Amino acid sequence: MINAVKREIPEYIEGYGKVKPFMGAYANYGEVTRTSIKLKSVKPGENKILSSIKEALLKCDIKDGMTVSFHHHLRNGDYVLNMVLEEIAKLGVKDITVAASSIFPCHAPMVEHIKNGVVTKIYTNYMSGPVAEAVSKGLLKYPAIMHTHGGRARAIESGDLHIDIAFIAAPTCDTYGNINGVEGKSACGSLGYAIPDAMYADKVVAVTDNLVDYPACPIEISQEYVDYIVKVDEIGDPKGIVSGTTRITKDPVGLKIAKLAAQLIDESGLLKDGFSFQTGAGGTSLAVAAYVKDIMKRKNIKGSFAAGGITGYIVEMFEEGLFRVLFDVQCFDLKAVESYKNNRAHQGMSASMYGNPHNKGAVVNNLDVMILGATEIDTDFNVNVTTGSNGVIMGGSGGHSDTAAGSKLSIVVTQLTKARLPIIVDSVTTVTTPGETIDAVVTERGIAINPRRTDLLEKLKDSNLPLYSIEELKAMAEKLTGVPEKIEFEDKIVAVVEYRDGSVIDVLRQVR
Amino acid sequence: MRRSMLFIPGNNPSMIQNAPVLGADSIILDLEDAVSIDEKDSARYLVRNALLEIDFSGCERVVRINSIGTNFGYDDIDVIGRVKPDALIIPKATEEAVEEVDDLLSAIEREEGFKLGSIKIIPLIETAIGLEDVFNIVKSSKRVVAVLLGAEDLTADMEIKRTKEGEEIFYARSKVVSVCKALKVDAIDTPFTDVNDFEGLRKDSEKAKLIGMTGKAAINPRQIDIINEVFSPSKDDIEWAKRVILAYEEAQREGKGVFSLDGKMVDAPILQRAKNIIEKAKAIGLIKG
């Protein structure tokens, strides 16, 4: 069958099941049901502290076919996922589903577990490195399922993704299971992505390298959700968890793109008191924030909030009074961690509050402007942030599709060409985010506005911005690079890309 | 218009490809100091192909050739001249060098069927002898459209210390400006070499503008916005110029030969200055019309 972004999708996928085709970004709102939770209540006097991950696995009755979950606040410094899978493998358990909110190069040991049948299925919102390559090569028994950040929360809350055991990497945990991310040697700030796991898993195990006396303060994930606590030497490598600082790009082309994007935001009419904004931690995205900051200061504009993964640069804007509140699902650097710890208006949010389309209103719904990246964008404005130019998985939506759908103005910032390849193409290799939710593409040579946004085009008709059609931008790119040959794939489906509402927007096939 | 002239190394394909989007009025593709001896040939052909293939989106396309005291310089002129750059920069310019390059370009233009004199020359004044002879250097060819001051080599030649404040090049700047004004060509100021000191860049640019420089070379794309801003007419300049022209038009209607504005007499040079400001503002897009 053909879905709403013109992708040929099977009606049934072996190892995934019956396919619900993507029908449009706003097709599936309305009444939904949350799953019920089964838990074992704790009597006064019971001890939650266990001596090892192995003991925790045994206490949770680990067995073949179970789903274990992880969150990615420790990013490329995470040790917890590898430690848990190693113990599972040692116990001889097979056929495990790993539901990790993101998978990084540090999780390379999982490849062996995939090869020997310990791990046979993966749910994730983003993956890069050896595991992503193994999936693309078809080594995983069943197709991986790629969610969005909000979509993962939706899947957990609805019961589409049932977690048997959630492992919470806890930078600080007290002896009764109260967790925070702001204290301890592995402090990472907000624990927003772990919250749905903690609330909906059958069993929750906190793994910590900073076990403190009861009660911990502050509490981000509370004792009412935590079954067991395991103390380990280290839950991660601080160098990979948060960077010292996130920096604005010095690349002149990136700066040119950022400047144009800021001009577009200014001319859109959205940059006024109450403005809300989100941008990624990439150098060009941060540079957009820098130019927006200049405009806000010059025009004395006071924004309402900035959201998402929070960087030190956004914290600086907040501290200068340019935003009243920050909504933080993940801290990207030490400055953000420090601010999250010390400032009440720097508030945490769960993955569900951030982007779940099936709750009573996510933060993304209130975003004015979202700055997004792309590895490819096509003439229908569909964006690929999942696969690279060789067809191999190198990312995933994360919050891309959630924020694009929610925000009033979603802007993709990208160079027109990268590594001698055009970024604007006739049809993207993988649709991660549907074009109907992308409003503008800003490149160093010009800006294309989605023709669906007639209101925006009308607003910009007298502006000095270098406006082109997306086809014209594509032609400019191809003039520089030529037209690359199409990537060839095998027939085997190696991953299913689920849109935030759980429908299938695309499938990924095995690379040749 | 040459408010900003950005040096791009002639051996860096990605920078060359992106050069047109950076906002500089002129791009200087550099075959001289930016390119090591063993890359001279490849850079020359890279620049040649870039001039043939890349759409520079209206930026002036200038190539700094090697000195014609070397074989590289002759090869540069022969290869680059045939793809018709807008101008060549002649390093350590002397009257003889400019005349010789003029002759070589004329021969190429005849052979290739280009309009005679269409490839312009920008002498780079970076020696004491060049500075003292700058009037004759500019006069020596009708192709000369601007003079670029190169203060790093000049101060080395004069055995004086180069400073951020630039007091040591006050004479050189003034001399270049005076000659350029006399001979109606652009005076382009030396680059500011601390690429991370934007406040210093602004001060240096303002100092150069104050004594009459019309533009400035840049060695980093991040310097362009400030240079363009400094060398563009300010809002106040434009307002003043509009008022001068309105007063002039009114005086014309009333048949007055001389007129005044804000109690000051407006004569022909002031009127011309106002017209120049308006023309420049239109060219930059600061005002429509």
Side-chain angles (χ1 to χ4, degrees):
Chain A
M1 59 187 158
I2 305 286
N3 69 11
V5 285
K6 300 180 219 162
R7 294 282 146 156
E8 171 96 49
I9 309 280
E11 288 180 21
Y12 181 87
I13 299 170
E14 198 58 46
Y16 173 81
K18 197 170 175 305
V19 169
K20 196 163 71 173
F22 172 72
M23 305 286 282
Y26 308 102
N28 278 320
Y29 283 83
E31 197 171 280
V32 294
T33 312
R34 281 191 185 152
T35 189
S36 59
I37 306 147
K38 186 178 69 184
L39 60 89
K40 184 176 157 286
S41 59
V42 173
K43 265 196 290 205
E46 276 184 35
N47 177 25
K48 293 186 180 185
I49 299 175
L50 304 177
S51 62
S52 66
I53 288 171
K54 180 182 174 185
E55 190 186 357
L57 287 165
L58 294 172
K59 279 270 195 188
C60 294
D61 298 324
I62 183 79
K63 57 177 183 283
D64 291 0
M66 273 190 164
T67 296
V68 292
S69 88
F70 305 90
H71 62 106
H72 72 276
H73 295 92
L74 304 185
R75 302 203 298 176
N76 199 29
D78 174 52
Y79 291 163
V80 173
L81 186 149
N82 291 340
M83 288 193 291
V84 171
L85 287 187
E86 194 183 329
E87 290 303 324
I88 290 174
K90 278 186 195 161
L91 289 169
V93 177
K94 299 271 184 189
D95 212 14
I96 288 293
T97 295
V98 170
S101 54
S102 292
I103 294 169
F104 291 102
C106 67
H107 298 128
M110 204 204 300
V111 175
E112 275 311 304
H113 301 309
I114 289 171
K115 284 181 183 165
N116 61 30
V118 174
V119 175
T120 51
K121 194 167 181 178
I122 290 173
Y123 287 88
T124 193
N125 313 342
Y126 176 101
M127 58 175 149
S128 63
V131 175
E133 286 158 24
V135 171
S136 285
K137 284 179 193 159
L139 299 184
L140 190 68
K141 185 172 178 185
Y142 302 115
I145 296 158
M146 307 281 294
H147 282 139
T148 73
H149 284 331
R152 181 179 196 270
R154 181 210 57 77
I156 293 169
E157 289 181 8
S158 69
D160 287 358
L161 168 52
H162 175 79
I163 299 167
D164 293 299
I165 314 170
F167 288 89
I168 312 291
T172 288
C173 183
D174 71 26
T175 49
Y176 212 53
N178 293 299
I179 297 168
N180 73 57
V182 296
E183 305 281 356
K185 63 181 175 183
S186 305
C188 61
S190 170
L191 297 173
Y193 296 123
I195 290 170
D197 301 45
M199 289 174 69
Y200 285 87
D202 288 349
K203 298 282 182 199
V204 176
V205 179
V207 182
T208 188
D209 54 8
N210 187 35
L211 185 64
V212 296
D213 289 340
Y214 182 85
C217 181
I219 295 170
E220 186 155 6
I221 293 173
S222 82
Q223 60 191 50
E224 66 194 299
Y225 299 112
V226 177
D227 293 273
Y228 303 114
I229 302 150
V230 178
K231 165 89 166 65
V232 296
D233 292 339
E234 288 170 315
I235 59 168
D237 173 5
K239 285 200 286 290
I241 297 171
V242 283
S243 58
T245 50
T246 38
R247 288 183 195 284
I248 293 168
T249 185
K250 284 188 171 181
D251 167 42
V253 175
L255 288 171
K256 168 81 187 269
I257 295 166
K259 195 172 171 188
L260 282 176
Q263 283 170 0
L264 171 62
I265 293 168
D266 193 17
E267 299 209 23
S268 73
L270 292 167
L271 193 47
K272 56 189 180 200
D273 282 344
F275 174 66
S276 58
F277 182 60
Q278 183 173 334
T279 180
T284 303
S285 300
L286 276 184
V288 179
Y291 285 115
V292 166
K293 175 179 167 178
D294 287 346
I295 300 170
M296 290 177 81
K297 286 176 96 165
R298 202 170 64 235
K299 297 187 172 178
N300 195 25
I301 292 165
K302 303 283 177 221
S304 56
F305 74 90
I310 296 294
T311 59
Y313 198 81
I314 295 292
V315 168
E316 275 175 31
M317 292 176 76
F318 167 64
E319 287 173 348
E320 288 180 43
L322 297 175
F323 295 110
R324 197 160 39 79
V325 165
L326 298 181
F327 286 120
D328 192 338
V329 71
Q330 175 188 23
C331 296
F332 278 124
D333 55 28
L334 292 171
K335 191 172 171 68
V337 174
E338 203 56 28
S339 165
Y340 181 62
K341 181 178 169 181
N342 295 324
N343 200 319
R344 282 177 68 86
H346 183 159
Q347 306 192 76
M349 64 175 168
S350 70
S352 185
M353 181 178 172
Y354 173 30
N356 178 356
H358 289 176
N359 62 21
K360 295 176 185 176
V363 167
V364 296
N365 296 358
N366 292 327
L367 265 179
D368 286 331
V369 174
M370 178 67 205
I371 304 297
L372 297 162
T375 54
E376 281 178 316
I377 179 158
D378 66 27
T379 48
D380 288 329
F381 287 79
N382 296 315
V383 176
N384 174 17
V385 287
T386 305
T387 46
S389 57
N390 53 3
V392 174
I393 299 167
M394 44 63 66
S397 171
H400 200 282
S401 304
D402 302 311
T403 51
S407 58
K408 292 189 186 74
L409 175 61
S410 61
I411 302 173
V412 169
V413 291
T414 177
Q415 297 198 8
L416 197 57
T417 65
K418 279 183 205 161
R420 286 168 289 162
L421 289 170
I423 297 303
I424 302 174
V425 294
D426 285 323
S427 176
V428 289
T429 309
T430 308
V431 180
T432 314
T433 296
E436 67 171 301
T437 62
I438 300 294
D439 300 313
V441 182
V442 178
T443 74
E444 70 277 22
R445 286 175 197 256
I447 297 172
I449 304 292
N450 192 328
R452 294 174 183 91
R453 289 296 306 268
T454 48
D455 57 325
L456 188 57
L457 284 163
E458 177 64 24
K459 195 158 233 156
L460 299 174
K461 71 177 192 304
D462 293 325
S463 85
N464 285 328
L465 291 168
L467 298 179
Y468 297 92
S469 70
I470 193 141
E471 289 81 7
E472 285 171 317
L473 287 184
K474 177 171 129 358
M476 279 185 218
E478 288 176 352
K479 200 176 163 206
L480 292 167
T481 61
V483 183
E485 280 182 23
K486 279 261 165 211
I487 311 164
E488 298 283 330
F489 292 95
E490 304 288 347
D491 289 336
K492 182 183 175 185
I493 292 173
V494 295
V496 176
V497 184
E498 277 193 6
Y499 191 59
R500 54 201 299 254
D501 63 2
S503 62
V504 174
I505 194 164
D506 210 344
V507 293
L508 273 60
R509 294 177 192 271
Q510 185 178 329
V511 290
R512 282 193 177 162
Chain B
M1 187 176 35
R2 299 179 185 88
R3 291 169 302 172
S4 51
M5 300 187 78
L6 174 65
F7 278 99
I8 298 278
N11 57 353
N12 186 326
S14 90
M15 282 188 79
I16 294 174
Q17 182 182 299
N18 287 321
V21 307
L22 301 174
D25 292 332
S26 306
I27 299 297
I28 304 171
L29 301 167
D30 189 11
L31 297 176
E32 199 213 15
D33 287 353
V35 179
S36 63
I37 299 253
D38 54 350
E39 285 192 87
K40 292 287 184 195
D41 288 353
S42 57
R44 184 182 305 126
Y45 281 94
L46 182 65
V47 167
R48 170 191 175 274
N49 291 341
L51 290 170
L52 281 173
E53 298 295 333
I54 293 176
D55 175 4
F56 280 81
S57 309
C59 290
E60 186 183 38
R61 307 160 316 143
V62 181
V63 179
R64 175 161 76 167
I65 59 169
N66 288 282
S67 161
I68 56 165
T70 68
N71 283 338
F72 299 128
Y74 289 104
D75 290 343
D76 290 344
I77 293 169
D78 192 47
V79 171
I80 302 299
R82 291 181 196 283
V83 292
K84 211 176 176 210
D86 294 316
L88 297 182
I89 288 181
I90 302 175
K92 297 199 168 51
T94 60
E95 192 179 347
E96 297 73 32
V98 171
E99 283 172 352
E100 193 175 353
V101 173
D102 186 311
D103 289 345
L104 292 167
L105 288 176
S106 295
I108 289 171
E109 285 167 345
R110 272 192 290 272
E111 285 166 29
E112 300 293 332
F114 302 154
K115 190 178 167 205
L116 204 62
S118 54
I119 303 171
K120 306 300 180 192
I121 288 175
I122 300 175
L124 176 51
I125 301 301
E126 51 185 345
T127 61
I129 187 76
L131 181 65
E132 286 310 313
D133 203 29
V134 63
F135 185 86
N136 292 323
I137 290 172
V138 177
K139 286 278 277 183
S140 65
S141 167
K142 285 188 177 159
R143 295 175 190 271
V144 175
V145 288
V147 171
L148 172 58
L149 176 64
E152 303 309 310
D153 282 6
L154 177 66
T155 48
D157 189 37
M158 294 178 67
E159 298 181 51
I160 53 175
K161 195 178 168 200
R162 180 84 174 96
T163 68
K164 266 194 183 181
E165 293 71 31
E167 297 304 326
E168 70 285 1
I169 58 165
F170 178 72
Y171 167 72
R173 276 174 163 162
S174 304
K175 172 118 187 171
V176 166
V177 166
S178 179
V179 166
C180 289
K181 295 292 175 191
L183 297 174
K184 304 271 183 284
V185 297
D186 287 343
I188 311 298
D189 193 39
T190 188
F192 185 73
T193 53
D194 184 344
V195 296
N196 292 313
D197 179 3
F198 297 106
E199 202 180 317
L201 170 68
R202 184 177 290 279
K203 278 186 188 158
D204 194 52
S205 304
E206 284 169 349
K207 194 175 271 185
K209 186 187 178 184
L210 189 72
I211 60 165
M213 286 284 180
T214 52
K216 189 171 179 68
I219 53 169
N220 186 295
R222 290 183 296 142
Q223 297 181 318
I224 291 168
D225 282 354
I226 290 175
I227 294 176
N228 281 352
E229 192 190 322
V230 170
F231 287 97
S232 297
S234 68
K235 272 186 184 166
D236 288 350
D237 288 342
I238 295 168
E239 276 315 303
W240 170 82
K242 280 181 179 171
R243 290 176 59 230
V244 169
I245 287 165
L246 276 176
Y248 166 71
E249 285 167 355
E250 203 178 311
Q252 288 288 95
R253 277 196 301 276
E254 290 170 5
K256 288 185 195 164
V258 273
F259 64 99
S260 62
L261 183 70
D262 302 333
K264 288 178 189 163
M265 187 75 78
V266 177
D267 55 10
I270 290 179
L271 180 62
Q272 190 54 50
R273 192 172 151 236
K275 283 180 176 170
N276 289 347
I277 287 171
I278 297 295
E279 209 170 287
K280 207 168 184 181
K282 278 182 186 169
I284 301 162
L286 293 176
I287 50 176
K288 288 186 178 171

